[in-house]
Amino acid sequence: MREENGMELLKERIRKDGKVKEGNVLKVDSFLNHQMDIGLFREIGKEFKRRFAGEEITKILTIEASGIGIACIAGEEFGVPVVFAKKTQTKNIAGEVYTARVESYTHGRVYDIIVSKEFIRKEDKVLLIDDFLANGKALEGLIQIVEEAGAHLAGAGIVIEKGFQPGGEKIRTRGIHLESLAIIESMDESTGEIRFRESAC
Amino acid sequence: MREENGMELLKERIRKDGKVKEGNVLKVDSFLNHQMDIGLFREIGKEFKRRFAGEEITKILTIEASGIGIACIAGEEFGVPVVFAKKTQTKNIAGEVYTARVESYTHGRVYDIIVSKEFIRKEDKVLLIDDFLANGKALEGLIQIVEEAGAHLAGAGIVIEKGFQPGGEKIRTRGIHLESLAIIESMDESTGEIRFRESAC
């Protein structure tokens, strides 16, 4: 059923329940980021474990809100604690937190993400987890925090990458071990058709 | 190790790693709501399953961000999907979402929570899950959404209830099956002492 390098279950679900909307929006809120199918999350967590089997990982870092559920299930697979970066538009107490500025294209706003310095140490080997990768701004913010902490960045695991947007390319070019379980090559809002990068699926 | 009606592991952890701060604030961000101990979440999920063993449950409803991780692990124990209510300060599309207004004492602001109507149906038997119960405003917002959907409210599972604030009393008075795994009777910011409702622990 499942391919060596893919995750057929996830792709089938995206095809079945994902809705292509105006402006390159893929709505997957019936199973991924509003209502959450935890059985699917378990399969996603196991797949991340397989793909990062060669990496030593001591902590998972994600970002609120929609990364949290996936990161928690993955955290159990890896047997490590999970930290989520908080989004804030208020001024932060300098010194106690790492911060990064993130520009959101989807929501047309800029926000800061913060992580308490207590929870990412320089000894940590950090795996980043998030639900979506499009322009890569949120992921770049998380990477900046890991770098600021002086921790080792083990890699980044993404559920759905929009392959036609520049985030994935930017991250891979930096030599970061990025694993996206489903990479969308193109999608058509008039027909609802979704094409994935691996031609076999 | 574990009491019949309590959860000694959780209480020990609160005593060990919880920090009592000015203004009746209990900081548990090293294991519950910023960094998350998924092993502990698994025990919490199992305990909710035991306490609501008599209830038929088809869906778990929580609120972003800190309820999501606990709700996902509990969702796996119950074998049901998890929905999280989103916090928003923007105007919503009427008709497509259930909304409730929530007043936050902690953050001194008012926000709306929204849940897509697709994901809570009148056939659903909903268990509410959240990390904290203090004044009960967030929980009341979730209850309002379940009522608006015409769904059955099976109960509410809370990790930490501040027993000296009025939320728990208000919810119980309404006849709702509320289970709080740790009820704090009092806490002292000068000594850091935390007293739980059950005298045995």
Side-chain angles (χ1 to χ4, degrees), chain B residues 3 17 30 33 118 146 158:
Chain B
E3 314 168 84
D17 293 331
S30 66
N33 51 20
E118 278 181 76
V146 173
I158 297 292

Side-chain angles (χ1 to χ4, degrees), chain B residues 28-192:
Chain B
V28 286
D29 62 356
S30 66
F31 60 96
L32 194 70
N33 51 20
H34 184 15
Q35 179 166 255
M36 300 176 287
D37 179 337
I38 313 300
L40 178 67
F41 282 20
R42 179 59 62 191
E43 292 306 313
I44 288 170
K46 285 184 197 294
E47 183 71 18
F48 283 139
K49 184 75 172 84
R50 273 190 288 271
R51 296 197 182 196
F52 291 99
E55 307 279 353
E56 192 192 343
I57 287 155
T58 65
K59 200 153 283 190
I60 286 176
L61 177 63
T62 187
I63 185 167
E64 69 172 345
S66 48
I68 296 175
I70 299 150
C72 281
I73 302 292
E76 207 170 29
E77 293 291 333
F78 285 91
V80 301
V82 177
V83 176
F84 67 88
K86 298 180 183 188
K87 293 176 184 173
T88 172
Q89 285 179 306
T90 58
K91 249 190 143 42
N92 304 304
I93 318 124
E96 293 179 1
V97 293
Y98 298 116
T99 74
R101 179 139 291 195
V102 173
E103 210 179 316
S104 166
Y105 288 95
T106 322
H107 302 102
R109 64 187 187 101
V110 172
Y111 55 88
D112 288 327
I113 58 172
I114 63 168
V115 174
S116 172
K117 288 188 178 176
E118 278 181 76
F119 305 134
I120 306 285
R121 303 280 191 181
K122 67 176 197 303
E123 312 81 62
D124 276 318
K125 298 167 201 324
V126 182
L127 175 64
L128 306 177
I129 294 281
D130 208 0
D131 58 338
F132 265 99
L133 173 59
N135 288 296
K137 296 297 183 182
L139 198 54
E140 284 179 328
L142 294 176
I143 292 167
Q144 190 187 318
I145 283 173
V146 173
E147 287 173 345
E148 220 186 309
H152 172 70
L153 179 62
I158 297 292
V159 182
I160 302 176
E161 178 184 333
K162 290 175 169 171
F164 51 87
Q165 285 181 271
E169 175 70 14
K170 277 193 293 183
I171 303 292
R172 287 186 184 91
T173 301
R174 291 173 64 176
I176 291 163
H177 180 185
L178 171 64
E179 295 280 351
S180 298
L181 303 189
I183 303 177
I184 295 171
E185 200 60 86
S186 67
M187 49 191 206
D188 186 328
E189 67 177 84
S190 61
T191 63

